[in-house]
Amino acid sequence: MTHELDEAYIRKLRRGILEAICEASVPEGGAAASFDKTLYIGTAEVCEVLTITLAEFLESMPGLDSPSDIRVVSERIANNLRSGIQTIRRVRIETGSDPLPTVAIRPN
């Protein structure tokens, strides 16, 4: 993962993933008719499916053969997650924006 990343492609993927999560979270059947414009997204389930999908993509990555290779990539991903969360929080403080509105329906 040392090549130049395509930022436009990343934005397109992110938008598609977020749309898919929202679409999958819309209640089905009779519940959809009484939908109160609040979308309840299962954070634990979303994180689980993103982790599974990431593992599926990484498993086919050339050069990811040994446990140490997997550890290096996993540590890089963990660092990116920590950095991303810190950046989001810093920007929210700087801009006075609020985090995404959430309702805890069950513990993650």
Side-chain angles (χ1 to χ4, degrees), residues 50-63:
L50 291 173
T51 302
I52 291 167
T53 304
L54 180 60
E56 290 170 343
F57 276 99
L58 289 174
E59 189 279 327
S60 64
M61 188 171 130

Side-chain angles (χ1 to χ4, degrees), residues 15-108:
R15 184 175 31 247
I17 291 167
L18 291 173
E19 287 174 2
I21 290 168
C22 290
E23 287 176 15
S25 299
V26 172
E28 296 179 10
S34 63
F35 192 52
D36 64 0
K37 298 187 185 210
T38 301
L39 190 60
Y40 296 96
I41 298 173
T43 310
E45 290 84 357
V46 169
C47 290
E48 181 68 16
V49 77
L50 291 173
T51 302
I52 291 167
T53 304
L54 180 60
E56 290 170 343
F57 276 99
L58 289 174
E59 189 279 327
S60 64
M61 188 171 130
L64 197 63
D65 302 318
S66 69
S68 64
D69 295 332
I70 296 168
R71 185 172 41 258
V72 167
V73 171
S74 298
E75 289 171 359
R76 187 177 307 144
I77 292 167
N79 287 335
N80 288 345
L81 282 171
R82 281 191 294 274
S83 175
I85 291 169
Q86 291 170 347
T87 299
I88 291 166
R89 288 179 176 168
R90 186 184 74 250
V91 168
R92 284 197 178 128
I93 289 169
E94 292 171 358
T95 62
S97 63
D98 293 323
L100 296 173
T102 59
V103 176
I105 356 181
R106 60 188 168 274
N108 290 340

